[in-house]
Amino acid sequence: MLVVGFGCAGAAAAYESAAAGADVLVLQRAGGPGGSSALSGGRLVMEKVVAAAEDAGAAVQADTLATALIVDDSGRVVGVTARRHGREGYVSGTSLGDGTFFGRRAGVAAAAG
């Protein structure tokens, strides 16, 4: 399971998936967890959700920017391209999004109006 973003939604998805036995990799653009959740007063909740996800076995790759979705011929998201320390690579898996560009592109979040 690939989760893009480690805000509240990404951390909850990572926790649920890891707790259910999935191998989970989280790509986080910033140097640590939080996203807009941490900026909007959710710091206390974030600390608990992030700790639970990591305790359940989710691996977090910080300072990694997902740059594009990889979509197969049927329209299914099969991975992302990502950049870390100036190097670009491909990460396969199921991509989850919230209200970000990737969530809207994958059709899992409504565009901001």
Side-chain angles (χ1 to χ4, degrees):
M1 170 67 85
L2 173 64
V3 177
V4 178
F6 209 33
C8 276
Y15 167 74
E16 289 293 331
S17 298
D23 291 327
V24 178
L25 173 63
V26 180
L27 302 183
Q28 171 63 10
R29 176 181 52 188
S36 60
S37 302
L39 299 175
S40 64
R43 175 63 63 192
L44 294 175
V45 172
M46 276 303 308
E47 290 174 3
K48 292 183 183 302
V49 176
V50 166
E54 291 174 333
D55 289 347
V60 179
Q61 184 68 66
D63 296 316
T64 304
L65 175 65
T67 56
L69 294 173
I70 305 295
V71 181
D72 68 12
D73 291 337
S74 70
R76 183 176 159 260
V77 175
V78 295
V80 297
T81 57
R83 185 177 310 123
R84 184 168 195 259
H85 303 301
R87 298 182 71 173
E88 188 116 354
Y90 169 77
V91 183
S92 64
T94 301
S95 178
L96 300 178
D98 49 14
T100 65
F101 165 78
F102 290 103
R104 289 190 300 275
R105 174 97 190 273
V108 296

